[in-house]
Amino acid sequence: MRELAYVNAIREAIQQEMRRDETVFVVGQDVRGGVYPHTLDLIEEFGEERIVDTPISESAMHGTAFGSALQGYRPIVDFMFASTAMTVFTETAIMTGQQYFLHGSKRPVPLVMTGAWGIGKRTANDHAMPIHGYYSRAPGLRVVIPSTPYDAKGIFTAAIRDNNPVMIPWCTGIMMLKGDVPEESYELPLDKASVKRAGSDVTVLANSEQLQFALKVADKLSDEISMEVIDPISFSPIDMETILSSLEKTNRIVIVDEDWESGGFAATVSARIVEQAFDLLDAPIQRVCFPNMPIPGGYMEDYLRPNPEKIESAVRYVCA
Amino acid sequence: MTEITVTLTKEQRITLFRNLVRADKFGKMMYSRMMQGKLIGFYHPAEGAIAPGVAAGSFLTNDDILFPHHRGHGITHMLSKGIDIEPYIAEHAGKSTGCCEGRAAWHYAYPDNNVFGTTAYIGHNFVPCTGFGWAAKRNNRGQIVMNCFGDGAMGTGRSHEGLLLSSNWQLPIVHFCENNGFAIFAEVEEMHPTAHLSTIAEGLNIPTTIVEDGQDVFAVAEAVMPAIERARSGGGPTFIEAKCLRFKEHDIGNRDLRGWKPREQDEYDAMLKRDPVLVATERARAESLFTDGEIEKIHEDAEQEVARAVKFADDSPVESPTEAELMATLYAPRDGVSF
Ligand SMILES: Cc1ncc(C[n+]2csc(CCOP(=O)(O)OP(=O)(O)O)c2C)c(N)n1
Ligand SMILES: [Mg+2]
């Protein structure tokens, strides 16, 4: 099959959806020029009416998407860096999330918000921060992160076609990761986790670059420990069914997430497991997350962030 | 920029007068129902400040998009645009027949009338309005956006961004600032360095109109109509600043201060002489718009309309859907939704 880099798989999804549906458009800063390659050269095919540049006005930029979505358009608002969406949190999370439900579930808000984050590039907190933890606390939004090129294309396609606001913060650590991607368009479910490697001794949840790390650890330990590696994909709502059915088999779980340790996906999943499946556990749940400090920009990232060594030691701990 | 001037037709004046009387009666009913404990949430009475909203709403088509100002919770603007008022009153009473199924209380939406629902965050009107304007321009069927807000919203960065994009892209938006001189207690003179808030829009190359007497519904309408016309014919945005009064406290139950001291009795006494219904009635009489009998009939009709809406709200049940039922409506389905 044909190989594509992750970021180009996103581009192909956007391009194919824009061809298929006139109402799809992209709005952001320097999307015409393509600061990130997922909008590169789309201007040539679709023109300025559908590849729309704004000033550094995140509120009105998001507003262009939010208001036009209520008029039946299907905008993709590109925040360049995921963290800049945080400068307009009431708009992107609260207003957008509550709009459909609070007003009687009548007029949907079909929009996609996206932006890049990534720890390990020495860019420091403002640019590096993961935002899925913040956004998954805003009811009414879907928050999804695809972690392979194949998933990136299928998830972006589904998100554009979905009738709800979908936040997709993608990770720069896997931006150039290559993988098989079909040329024709296809959708993947927005609310389902994906088992990336079957195993029987321990369940490991990991996304983005950490998924690659977890798969490496699984290879390394394959003679000793059989790891089941699951990509959660959906951070809101969380697919507990897939997680719990894996846990039924393994009775041990390690949750890897580069979000801060406190109050995020890993904390929520841990709480739900304790509430719903305490009896399944043969060992304490282990979380491998970022410590609760601003992400430093220098070389400290390497030992502060989750990494293969930390994943391995958590796996060994629960399997001991 | 070409000046467009209008003279209101008799028919248009009658529409304005009728909507003004309706808005006044609905506002007073809401105030008294709040005092009786029959309204839920907050109530920010529009009393004394209904002329701008009536002028902003009365000449919009159904296809035009309205973001009403929060004062009076937008009933003034929306009834002038032609919404079905009964589900509005029911919503404000938390009833299942409400326009948002009793979930919004005071952030109502009427998507079929192109009123998409508000939020409590001051200044956030500029957010959806930018997108409404973008869509209206691309729809290319003469649709316009009426973006209503108070003086307080002009303190937010959102107002700058919304004005900026509307000017850059020449969006068909009427930015409609209802400057009542207060944001809760804070006086506009103290919170802004310029005599007029419209100066801010001027700096972004947006044509502006100041209505010094925003108590006069006809004067406001004379400013609104050319702005609507400009937007509809592809001439881009306009910023209107209508200076008006606030007769009551910011919201029911609050103190009514100027800065941090109570407003003077003289101020209330003087204000009452500028009651928008009084002003309009005097003008209507002076210009022989109606006979006294016609005026009386307009009042009677409005009272009956209010009574019907109140009865509808009172007769409607309070809905108690289960958590699971509500959860099932959190996300929109893929199929079967219409825009
Ligand atoms: C972002 C935000 N900040 C503060 C408030 C609290 N608040 C509610 S109404 C109001 C004053 C609004 O004044 P203005 O916009 O002039 O409208 P008015 O009430 O005078 O009609 C304030 C400060 C809010 N709702 N939202
Ligand atoms: Mg005010």
Side-chain angles (χ1 to χ4, degrees):
Chain A
M1 203 191 281
R2 180 198 52 162
E3 283 207 329
L4 270 188
Y6 180 95
V7 73
N8 288 323
I10 299 177
R11 185 182 182 280
E12 190 164 273
I14 295 173
Q15 184 179 35
Q16 287 179 348
E17 287 312 288
M18 286 185 74
R19 283 180 187 157
R20 196 182 65 85
D21 182 349
E22 275 283 306
T23 66
V24 180
F25 72 99
V26 182
V27 57
Q29 288 154 30
D30 301 302
V31 289
R32 289 179 306 180
V35 169
Y36 280 116
H38 59 282
T39 62
L40 189 65
D41 293 338
L42 291 179
I43 183 77
E44 310 279 354
E45 182 175 349
F46 300 108
E48 298 196 349
E49 193 169 72
R50 297 177 65 197
I51 304 292
V52 183
D53 272 355
T54 72
I56 306 168
S57 302
E58 276 77 14
S59 176
M61 181 177 103
H62 176 75
T64 305
F66 179 64
S68 63
L70 285 164
Q71 281 277 291
Y73 288 90
R74 292 187 174 273
I76 300 159
V77 52
D78 186 354
F79 284 93
M80 192 183 307
F81 298 103
S83 61
T84 65
M86 297 291 297
T87 65
V88 287
F89 194 73
T90 44
E91 287 88 332
T92 51
I94 302 172
M95 253 183 118
T96 300
Q98 75 190 12
Q99 173 68 26
Y100 175 72
F101 176 84
L102 221 54
H103 296 117
S105 300
K106 287 174 185 148
R107 181 67 64 109
V109 191
L111 74 85
V112 174
M113 301 176 271
T114 191
W117 63 280
I119 305 174
K121 304 278 183 206
R122 329 264 179 243
T123 56
N125 204 42
D126 299 349
H127 279 86
M129 72 167 70
I131 63 166
H132 55 285
Y134 290 117
Y135 280 88
S136 63
R137 304 250 320 119
L141 296 183
R142 293 187 185 285
V143 181
V144 293
I145 305 180
S147 300
T148 67
Y150 177 83
D151 288 356
K153 181 170 171 182
I155 289 290
F156 267 83
T157 302
I160 294 167
R161 295 182 191 174
D162 194 73
N163 282 325
N164 296 282
V166 187
M167 169 58 92
I168 315 181
W170 60 273
C171 173
T172 51
I174 52 168
M175 176 171 152
M176 299 316 290
L177 177 73
K178 286 218 163 107
D180 288 346
V181 178
E183 287 181 37
E184 68 278 8
S185 73
Y186 57 94
E187 289 184 61
L188 292 172
L190 292 172
D191 54 1
K192 289 273 175 308
S194 167
V195 179
K196 297 300 183 192
R197 179 188 174 117
S200 52
D201 294 334
V202 53
T203 303
V204 176
L205 306 181
N207 72 87
S208 302
E209 198 175 7
Q210 296 300 329
L211 173 63
Q212 298 305 312
F213 293 166
L215 290 170
K216 262 189 214 133
V217 174
D219 269 346
K220 183 182 168 195
L221 302 186
S222 59
D223 290 340
E224 306 167 56
I225 297 170
S226 166
M227 278 169 57
E228 176 143 300
V229 180
I230 297 179
D231 178 357
I233 296 185
S234 178
F235 294 84
S236 182
I238 297 170
D239 176 10
M240 285 307 295
E241 212 178 297
T242 301
I243 296 169
L244 291 179
S245 61
S246 175
L247 195 61
E248 264 169 36
K249 186 169 59 174
T250 62
N251 306 106
R252 294 172 171 83
I253 188 163
V254 173
I255 308 170
V256 187
D257 190 14
E258 285 194 271
D259 194 7
W260 288 281
E261 173 273 341
S262 175
F265 169 78
T268 302
V269 171
S270 304
R272 288 188 189 169
I273 290 172
V274 170
E275 284 169 352
Q276 298 168 25
F278 186 72
D279 291 345
L280 291 180
L281 290 172
D282 283 350
I285 299 165
Q286 288 297 291
R287 291 182 295 151
V288 185
C289 298
F290 205 87
N292 291 322
M293 65 174 78
I295 301 157
Y299 292 94
M300 297 88 111
E301 274 179 316
D302 297 339
Y303 56 85
L304 292 171
R305 73 186 293 211
N307 56 29
E309 295 71 43
K310 290 186 187 182
I311 296 172
E312 182 178 337
S313 82
V315 165
R316 287 190 183 283
Y317 176 79
V318 296
C319 291
Chain B
M1 154 196 152
T2 45
E3 271 309 323
I4 314 170
T5 49
V6 291
T7 327
L8 298 170
T9 63
K10 182 169 180 191
E11 203 177 70
Q12 286 166 337
R13 281 167 190 264
I14 292 171
T15 300
L16 287 166
F17 187 82
R18 178 172 291 119
N19 287 341
L20 191 74
V21 171
R22 292 170 69 213
D24 188 51
K25 305 257 188 246
F26 270 104
K28 284 176 175 151
M29 173 272 287
M30 301 277 273
Y31 193 100
S32 78
R33 274 173 74 80
M34 189 75 186
M35 302 307 273
Q36 296 160 30
K38 287 183 178 165
L39 281 194
I40 56 169
F42 292 106
Y43 195 61
H44 301 77
E47 215 170 313
I50 55 174
V54 168
S58 286
F59 301 112
L60 300 176
T61 67
N62 193 59
D63 199 30
D64 289 337
I65 303 160
L66 170 68
F67 195 108
H69 182 34
H70 69 256
R71 188 139 296 283
H73 302 302
I75 195 168
T76 304
H77 312 67
M78 292 195 294
L79 70 76
S80 301
K81 192 178 196 285
I83 62 152
D84 181 2
I85 207 85
E86 291 178 1
Y88 176 95
I89 306 300
E91 184 65 39
H92 224 311
K95 301 300 182 78
S96 57
T97 52
C99 58
C100 301
E101 316 217 334
R103 294 183 207 164
W106 53 298
H107 300 131
Y108 41 72
Y110 282 85
D112 292 342
N113 298 85
N114 279 344
V115 179
F116 293 108
T118 58
T119 143
Y121 299 120
I122 299 295
H124 284 62
N125 53 294
F126 284 95
V127 178
C129 282
T130 304
F132 297 155
W134 187 92
K137 184 167 180 181
R138 201 170 138 196
N139 290 342
N140 196 24
R141 53 173 195 253
Q143 214 178 9
I144 73 120
V145 180
M146 182 61 68
N147 172 29
C148 304
F149 50 93
D151 47 287
M154 291 303 291
T156 72
R158 273 123 193 151
S159 67
H160 171 77
E161 295 191 13
L163 293 172
L164 174 65
L165 264 66
S166 76
S167 183
N168 279 352
W169 293 340
Q170 289 293 287
L171 300 180
I173 303 180
V174 180
H175 300 291
F176 191 74
C177 179
E178 306 183 24
N179 181 352
N180 62 1
F182 289 103
I184 306 188
F185 308 139
E187 295 167 277
V188 68
E189 289 86 355
E190 200 184 2
M191 297 296 147
H192 288 270
T194 55
H196 307 295
L197 294 166
S198 54
T199 316
I200 297 166
E202 258 164 35
L204 294 168
N205 254 352
I206 297 173
T208 61
T209 310
I210 296 165
V211 185
E212 284 296 350
D213 188 2
Q215 299 305 103
D216 179 350
V217 72
F218 304 124
V220 187
E222 276 163 11
V224 167
M225 291 182 66
I228 290 180
E229 196 38 49
R230 176 182 290 128
R232 224 183 270 302
S233 59
T238 304
F239 187 101
I240 297 175
E241 178 176 2
K243 317 247 188 198
C244 57
L245 299 168
R246 193 185 81 200
F247 283 10
K248 302 276 187 197
E249 65 273 40
H250 168 75
D251 67 308
I252 294 179
N254 215 326
R255 293 194 294 164
D256 193 9
L257 308 181
R258 179 175 279 288
W260 49 276
K261 291 181 186 148
R263 292 160 88 181
E264 303 286 342
Q265 190 55 44
D266 289 357
E267 187 180 335
Y268 295 107
D269 298 343
M271 268 194 311
L272 288 179
K273 299 194 182 104
R274 300 300 299 154
D275 181 282
V277 176
L278 194 71
V279 171
T281 307
E282 277 168 8
R283 270 194 74 171
R285 284 213 177 102
E287 293 163 28
S288 306
L289 257 188
F290 316 108
T291 63
D292 283 354
E294 283 167 335
I295 292 179
E296 215 165 281
K297 176 83 168 57
I298 288 173
H299 279 267
E300 272 167 24
D301 287 351
E303 268 156 28
Q304 279 169 21
E305 191 188 358
V306 168
R308 277 197 304 275
V310 167
K311 181 165 170 19
F312 177 79
D314 284 344
D315 290 351
S316 295
V318 170
E319 190 165 84
S320 306
T322 64
E323 184 181 322
E325 282 166 343
L326 284 170
M327 218 31 132
T329 66
L330 181 62
Y331 292 114
R334 173 65 77 83
D335 300 315
V337 297
S338 58
F339 290 97

